[in-house]
Amino acid sequence: MMKYFVIGIGAIALLLSCSRSKKGFRVAATPVPHAQMLEFIKPQLQSQGIDLIIIVTDDYNTPNRALANGEVDANFFQHIPFLQEQIRQFHYPIESIAKVELEPMGIYSKKIRSLSELQDHAAIAIPNDPTNEARALKLLQEEGLIQLDSPNDLQATVLNIAKNPKQIRLIEVDAAMLPRSLEDVDAALINTNYALEAQLSPLKDALRLESKDSPYANVLVIRTNERNRPEIEALKSAMTSEKMREFILHEYRGAVLPAF
């Protein structure tokens, strides 16, 4: 599997500054699977005269800010509820142009082999960003571990927990740090991109995965009203092609699913 040098918030500005000196089409992405999928279509875009420059970062907030500020031309890392929350919060002039893939969130543990083994007062780590926190809570609700006051609320937080029969302790952690938290908690709800980076197999290691009808498909995002740019049309076409579908199914073997 392809490896990437992942940059932080400070380093991304420097790399973006350097990349502007090149005539290229810049797309910000998290490493797995997003940057890998972009790398796969790079030769196809090159044959159309488009020099795809992939800016890889592990930070969820940087790509939308960079896109809104014109530092990149598109990004690929987020699902629609996260995008909607970022637009609501920061008023970014950005929009989705295509659903590409779904990475089912999973429940992982290094201490138990089944959720039935969870004891009272068990500690479970969940993502601390608003939309992924709600996503994690919904999955815990589906397993009967908690009950939310509004079962389908995509913005639910721990304050919306109406019932917690096992008195589970929910620990909010930055999404990128969740795999590391497995040593310290009884279980953790981890986004598939971070699970794959940590060498966890969603199909083999997860105690439970989201269903295929999850609303959290990952999308290509651009600045508003730039849909007709030739580079963007070419990117969308390549990322939703039959070749990409075959790549997703072969490369990730069910851990990532096509959403187009």
Side-chain angles (χ1 to χ4, degrees):
M1 192 172 279
M2 294 168 278
K3 300 292 184 180
Y4 291 90
F5 174 71
V6 182
I7 59 178
I9 298 174
I12 195 172
L14 177 60
L15 183 53
L16 286 167
S17 176
C18 295
S19 71
R20 282 194 211 100
S21 64
K22 302 179 182 179
K23 288 186 177 180
F25 185 76
R26 300 179 300 277
V27 181
T30 42
V32 183
H34 309 98
Q36 293 175 337
M37 294 169 66
L38 289 167
E39 193 70 37
F40 174 71
I41 59 143
K42 196 170 184 178
Q44 181 178 342
L45 295 184
Q46 187 69 51
S47 70
Q48 300 175 56
I50 300 170
D51 181 18
L52 178 62
I53 299 173
I54 306 168
I55 309 296
V56 185
T57 179
D58 234 349
D59 174 64
Y60 273 1
N61 292 302
T62 302
N64 282 332
R65 185 165 63 245
L67 178 60
N69 291 341
E71 296 169 330
V72 296
D73 299 290
N75 68 46
F76 178 42
F77 76 102
Q78 66 194 314
H79 52 64
I80 292 174
F82 183 87
L83 172 64
Q84 292 172 336
E85 175 61 21
Q86 289 258 299
I87 292 172
R88 185 197 68 78
Q89 187 173 355
F90 300 109
H91 308 288
Y92 291 142
I94 59 178
E95 62 183 53
S96 163
I97 57 166
K99 294 181 180 179
V100 180
E101 48 82 22
L102 171 66
E103 304 160 29
M105 179 178 279
I107 305 177
Y108 297 83
S109 177
K110 290 190 175 181
K111 298 182 179 179
I112 59 174
R113 292 177 295 178
S114 169
L115 291 175
S116 63
E117 298 176 17
L118 275 177
Q119 301 295 310
D120 290 353
H121 308 288
I124 297 181
I126 61 174
N128 66 359
D129 61 276
T131 54
N132 281 309
E133 179 172 327
R135 184 180 184 182
L137 293 174
K138 188 173 185 296
L139 186 53
L140 291 173
Q141 178 177 249
E142 290 173 1
E143 289 301 304
L145 295 172
I146 62 170
Q147 183 176 324
L148 299 170
D149 52 18
S150 297
N152 298 314
D153 184 1
L154 296 183
Q155 301 299 325
T157 72
V158 293
L159 299 177
N160 296 108
I161 297 174
K163 294 183 180 179
N164 184 356
K166 286 183 175 288
Q167 296 184 305
I168 290 168
R169 292 181 293 121
L170 294 172
I171 302 170
E172 296 166 298
V173 177
D174 182 86
M177 301 300 293
L178 283 164
R180 299 184 188 180
S181 75
L182 286 173
E183 300 292 342
D184 304 312
V185 297
D186 296 290
L189 285 88
I190 305 175
N191 296 73
T192 287
N193 60 316
Y194 292 128
L196 291 173
E197 286 179 47
Q199 306 302 311
L200 293 168
S201 168
L203 297 181
K204 294 180 181 178
D205 299 326
L207 304 180
R208 169 76 160 81
L209 285 175
E210 279 179 319
S211 65
K212 295 179 181 179
D213 60 356
S214 165
Y216 295 96
N218 283 277
V219 292
L220 281 174
V221 177
I222 62 168
R223 282 184 293 278
T224 303
N225 298 325
E226 291 196 354
R227 285 176 176 264
N228 294 327
R229 284 181 60 186
E231 301 94 336
I232 288 172
E233 291 182 340
L235 176 66
K236 177 182 176 182
S237 178
M239 292 297 286
T240 57
S241 65
E242 190 58 32
K243 285 185 178 180
M244 179 56 75
R245 182 188 301 276
E246 292 173 0
F247 174 79
I248 293 171
L249 294 174
H250 179 268
E251 183 75 11
Y252 304 108
R253 301 186 182 279
V256 180
L257 303 169
F260 56 90

